[in-house]
Amino acid sequence: MVPKRLGEKKPNEQIIEELYLRTLVRRPSPIEMDRLKAALNEEPDKARGLEDVFWALMNTREFMFNH
C-alpha cells in the first residue's frame, strides 16, 4: 500500500491519515500527526519511514485488541 501511495505523490499527512483509518479506523490526533511528521522528516527514505509507521500501527494495543 505504501509504495502505491508514494507513486501517487500524496503528501505524508494524507498517507498517515489513510494508514490510521485503515488500521485503527480513526484519524490520528494532532499530537500523533505532529510526532509522525517530525519522525518522517528525519528519515531519508520516505517509503521506509511510512512502512515503519504502518508496522507500528499494526503493533499497537489499540489494533490488537480492537481488530
Side-chain angles (χ1 to χ4, degrees):
M1 185 188 97
V2 170
K4 181 180 178 184
R5 297 304 180 249
L6 289 173
E8 296 171 354
K9 302 199 186 290
K10 290 186 175 185
N12 287 348
E13 294 84 1
Q14 190 173 356
I15 297 171
I16 291 168
E17 186 169 300
E18 188 172 327
L19 290 172
Y20 264 78
L21 288 170
R22 288 180 180 250
T23 57
L24 304 179
V25 194
R26 67 173 178 85
R27 287 180 167 70
S29 71
I31 293 170
E32 291 168 330
M33 181 64 83
D34 289 343
R35 288 180 179 167
L36 290 171
K37 287 190 319 188
L40 287 174
N41 287 335
E42 293 178 14
E43 174 62 54
D45 183 351
K46 184 177 177 180
R48 182 177 174 174
L50 289 167
E51 287 174 357
D52 288 346
V53 170
F54 174 70
W55 285 109
L57 291 171
M58 295 285 288
N59 286 298
T60 62
R61 285 184 177 198
E62 184 175 351
F63 179 81
M64 291 189 290
F65 290 109
N66 290 334
H67 304 285

